[in-house]
Amino acid sequence: TKELLENNIVESLDEIKGVGHRIVQGADKFDKTVVIDERVLETISDLSPLAPLHNPAAVVGIKAFKEFMPNATHTAVFDTAFHQTMPEEAYMYATPYEWYEKYQVRKYGAHGTSHRYVSKKVAEELGKDDLRIIVCHLGNGSSITAVKDGKCVDTSMGFTPLAGVVMGTRSGDIDVSLVPYVMEKEGKSVGEIMDCLNKKSGFLGVSQLSSDSRDIENGIADGNEKCRLAQDKYIRTVVDHIAKYYVLLGGCDVLCFTAGIGENSKSIRAQVVEKLECLGFKLDAEANNVRGEFRKISAEDSSSLIYILPT
């Protein structure tokens, strides 16, 4: 608030009429953006066990902003809200049903705010609502979502953002049996292993160099085989999810690339699409030679439109 005033962005905090708070975990309690009242704040806090790194910090932020801007309207925008349209067979795990009833164990997904924006924006661009869209939010955190007629029908992240494709420091999908196995081998706690899977895996874990895809690409150029393996594994998991959602949707009208890697890495986009050529996806190499720009990059004879769409 001090910087807002000192930099003359506003003369008074009373000028600010609305504050939007991005909340990672809304579970199945919220399927849209809501005005924050005491009940909403309490629910966000109650959901902290599902997002221990994010929701508690969000509660602190909301309380602070409410204190300094009591007359503004405060809204909560949930990363999980867009995914609330998934059917039961998509969000349920084949675990004992009472885990869902007692502890809310199910798929929630994440990055929903981005997936909603990108799918809506491309629908507006094409002037159609009845589209089968696959959105690839590829960055240090990566997730892929299948969208039909404007609604999410499945997404790659799960109970937490650890699941799905390989990421900067997250492992993505693994066989959970390796957790107790490595715990025993290394004498580590569950917390230590989970920390490793969340913060020391993915690009960083495989390459042993960096979590940043730009460093990985530079490493590949220098002949680093572990960097090559890290990127190959990443691309394979991305392609796997796109192919799975292609079948789920009964085809794909639009494939969208967004977020840090999706918007900026022409080589990863090209490699992903190349592996999807058996489904008719084709890239226009010249159009793909761009960073961070809203642009159609599919070839004219591609079975699906392909877009870069900054989120």
Side-chain angles (χ1 to χ4, degrees):
T1 56
K2 185 180 175 186
E3 288 187 3
L4 289 172
L5 297 170
E6 286 183 353
N7 291 316
N8 297 315
I9 293 168
V10 292
E11 290 182 12
S12 164
L13 294 179
D14 289 336
E15 289 180 37
I16 296 173
K17 303 302 180 189
V19 182
H21 301 266
R22 178 196 171 200
I23 313 297
V24 165
Q25 183 56 269
D28 55 1
K29 309 299 181 187
F30 303 99
D31 60 1
K32 60 180 180 296
T33 297
V34 295
V35 174
I36 299 171
D37 56 20
E38 284 306 311
R39 183 192 63 81
V40 170
L41 188 59
E42 188 177 314
T43 304
I44 292 170
S45 183
D46 289 344
L47 293 171
S48 290
L50 301 181
L53 298 180
H54 299 94
N55 277 35
V59 169
V60 171
I62 290 166
K63 288 179 176 177
F65 273 86
K66 275 181 167 281
E67 181 184 339
F68 285 101
M69 302 171 193
N71 298 321
T73 299
H74 295 260
T75 61
V77 182
F78 297 93
D79 251 12
T80 47
F82 183 60
H83 303 310
Q84 282 301 300
T85 54
M86 285 189 292
E88 195 173 24
E89 71 269 19
Y91 70 72
M92 286 296 295
Y93 292 117
T95 50
Y97 196 81
E98 58 265 28
W99 291 5
Y100 172 63
E101 295 174 305
K102 291 179 181 177
Y103 314 120
Q104 298 83 52
V105 171
R106 52 157 284 178
K107 178 189 282 196
Y108 292 110
H111 295 148
T113 310
S114 173
H115 287 292
R116 179 182 184 275
Y117 170 77
V118 170
S119 55
K120 186 177 180 183
K121 194 77 176 173
V122 79
E124 288 174 357
E125 172 75 9
L126 298 174
K128 295 177 71 176
D129 294 322
D130 57 336
L131 291 168
R132 299 163 299 176
I133 304 171
I134 299 174
V135 180
C136 300
H137 178 108
L138 308 182
N140 201 266
S142 293
S143 64
I144 300 173
T145 294
V147 181
K148 187 172 185 180
D149 303 337
K151 294 181 179 180
C152 167
V153 293
D154 205 352
T155 192
S156 61
M157 284 181 167
F159 178 63
T160 71
L162 179 58
V165 303
V166 169
M167 304 176 220
T169 63
R170 297 184 187 123
S171 64
D173 291 337
I174 58 163
D175 180 346
V176 295
S177 297
L178 68 79
V179 174
Y181 177 78
V182 178
M183 282 174 62
E184 187 177 325
K185 291 292 184 185
E186 301 212 340
K188 290 184 175 179
S189 67
V190 172
E192 288 172 317
I193 296 296
M194 293 307 295
D195 188 67
C196 203
L197 292 173
N198 272 295
K199 299 178 181 177
K200 299 172 184 175
S201 298
F203 278 149
L204 178 61
V206 177
S207 73
Q208 298 183 311
L209 175 72
S210 174
S211 64
D212 193 314
S213 70
R214 293 168 294 189
D215 295 333
I216 300 300
E217 289 191 20
N218 289 337
I220 292 169
D222 292 338
N224 186 316
E225 285 306 311
K226 285 180 181 172
C227 286
R228 166 68 65 189
L229 175 60
Q231 182 163 295
D232 285 350
K233 180 66 181 176
Y234 178 70
I235 290 169
R236 179 169 181 145
T237 60
V238 170
V239 170
D240 284 352
H241 277 83
I242 295 171
K244 180 168 72 171
Y245 292 157
Y246 182 95
V247 173
L248 178 68
L249 293 168
C252 175
D253 298 308
V254 196
L255 176 66
C256 295
F257 289 98
T258 193
I261 297 172
E263 294 170 25
N264 296 299
S265 177
K266 63 180 182 181
S267 67
I268 286 181
R269 289 193 301 263
Q271 289 177 73
V272 167
V273 175
E274 182 182 4
K275 290 183 180 300
L276 293 165
E277 282 190 354
C278 63
L279 297 177
F281 292 89
K282 288 185 183 176
L283 209 60
D284 181 323
E286 189 176 333
N288 186 48
N289 190 21
V290 69
R291 292 165 57 91
E293 189 178 303
F294 184 5
R295 175 187 284 193
K296 187 180 87 164
I297 58 171
S298 47
E300 288 305 311
D301 59 342
S302 176
S303 63
S304 304
L305 296 172
I306 308 171
Y307 276 87
I308 303 167
L309 209 162
T311 194

